Amino acid sequence: MKNRFRMVLIAVMLATSFALAERFSFVAIGDMPYGEMAPFENLVKAINAARPSFTVHVGDIKSGSSPCTDAYMLKIRDLFNTFSAPLVYTPGDNEWTDCHREKAGKYDPIERLAFVRQTFFTNNQSFGEQKMTLEQQSADPKFAKFVENERWSLGGVVFATLHVVGSNNNLQRNQAAVNEYIERNAANLSWLESTFAKASSEGAKAVVLFWQADPMFEETSEDKRSGFTEILALLKSKVKAFGRPVLLVHGDSHTFIVDQPWYSESDASNIGNFYRLEVYGSARVHAVQVEVDTDTPGIFSFRPLMVRENLPKN
């Protein structure tokens, strides 16, 4: 009788431990579609077949030299709703910052940013056939403009998007760009602060952040990364204080990379709980599937989701 009781107790304990260990996956994409739509449609089919919990597009839904037209933006918005699972999107520089270029149509970047906000962020619901309710920074009256900064939680992990873009995060030489940068940078810093506060208060096992820009971790020249200096400094301090795994997912440079950019055995101040994933992009119309297992030390594992039809013919 005692042995049977022990066996039942062990079974209950095992079931409880398995319930506490969360396992799911999400997909990360970015810097696409650039031009032809068929490869992106192929990718959507592959992602739908993989059945992730959600997908995040980290921005740049067009190339920097293609026209920033209303019609194109609306077409991509409709494509986002062909994902079966929820899709979350954070803007890139090609959607607005670089629209002043002649080939892009010589638009006013500030006007294009307003259009992106009113087109892609009409409510607190994700894209996709299955919707997901998101927390938006715009719920705070101090940051009512910043509908694009969003947050959600799943399986003991806190996820958040931040509007950090390439082209030096829009810290340009003209005053209108500088003013825009200052306001958005303040919002991003506040959103980053509150995201880690939420994660700490909820006892989250990890934090995942998404933004568009490659912040050039390997770059040492301050003038080349000045638009990222404040956000990286705050991120570094929050990662160290949090002490559990933190993953930053970004695009911009179109190369699949998984690394620990703030870890070095020769540096006494190295940070071992920070990971970076850079997704495919441009002509490489593929995705990365991230497996999340909160019962493992590193929590994250990464698998390229390659689309056969999108591989080079040779």
Side-chain angles (χ1 to χ4, degrees), residues 49-103:
R51 304 183 67 176
S53 294
F54 58 84
T55 297
V56 179
H57 192 300
V58 295
D60 275 9
I61 56 177
K62 56 178 288 297
S63 72
S65 59
S66 61
C68 299
T69 63
D70 291 4
Y72 181 86
M73 303 290 188
L74 292 168
K75 185 173 185 177
I76 299 303
R77 183 190 65 181
D78 292 343
L79 268 174
F80 281 173
N81 281 317
T82 63
F83 286 79
S84 299
L87 178 131
V88 180
Y89 159 69
T90 185
D93 58 333
N94 290 353
E95 287 90 296
W96 64 276
T97 305
D98 300 334
C99 289
H100 68 280
R101 297 174 180 173
E102 187 168 352
K103 287 186 177 180

Side-chain angles (χ1 to χ4, degrees), residues 29-31 58-60 210-215 249-255 276-281:
I29 59 175
D31 299 278
V58 295
D60 275 9
F210 304 88
W211 71 45
Q212 188 266 330
D214 178 354
V249 182
H250 71 79
D252 203 9
S253 296
H254 312 160
T255 303
R276 178 262 295 268
L277 163 64
E278 181 180 297
V279 298
Y280 295 100

Side-chain angles (χ1 to χ4, degrees), residues 70-235:
D70 291 4
Y72 181 86
M73 303 290 188
L74 292 168
K75 185 173 185 177
I76 299 303
R77 183 190 65 181
D78 292 343
L79 268 174
F80 281 173
N81 281 317
T82 63
F83 286 79
S84 299
L87 178 131
V88 180
Y89 159 69
T90 185
D93 58 333
N94 290 353
E95 287 90 296
W96 64 276
T97 305
D98 300 334
C99 289
H100 68 280
R101 297 174 180 173
E102 187 168 352
K103 287 186 177 180
K106 298 179 71 173
Y107 287 85
D108 173 9
I110 303 304
E111 181 276 330
R112 286 293 81 188
L113 174 56
F115 184 80
V116 167
R117 284 173 171 156
Q118 70 185 31
T119 301
F120 290 92
F121 303 97
T122 57
N123 55 43
N124 66 347
Q125 298 295 299
S126 70
F127 293 96
E129 294 172 3
Q130 179 186 346
K131 306 296 183 187
M132 178 169 61
T133 300
L134 306 165
E135 180 185 356
Q136 293 179 302
Q137 189 176 20
S138 56
D140 182 344
K142 292 186 296 184
F143 301 105
K145 184 185 295 185
F146 296 93
V147 289
E148 68 272 22
N149 282 348
E150 297 176 317
R151 189 161 58 210
W152 64 102
S153 298
L154 180 65
V157 180
V158 174
F159 300 86
T161 62
L162 296 103
H163 194 174
V164 179
V165 296
S167 298
N168 200 31
N169 205 10
N170 199 40
L171 183 54
Q172 311 291 346
R173 294 185 179 184
N174 69 80
Q175 193 58 51
V178 171
N179 292 342
E180 187 286 324
Y181 163 80
I182 290 171
E183 186 179 27
R184 180 170 44 81
N185 187 55
N188 284 331
L189 294 174
S190 177
W191 196 235
L192 189 63
E193 287 265 14
S194 65
T195 295
F196 277 97
K198 179 182 178 70
S200 296
S201 67
E202 294 181 353
K205 295 186 177 181
V207 169
V208 184
L209 305 170
F210 304 88
W211 71 45
Q212 188 266 330
D214 178 354
M216 298 178 285
F217 288 107
E218 70 285 353
E219 184 61 67
T220 57
S221 175
E222 287 298 323
D223 64 326
K224 291 185 179 179
R225 53 186 281 187
S226 59
F228 309 113
T229 300
E230 288 189 79
I231 194 74
L232 287 179
L234 180 62
L235 177 60

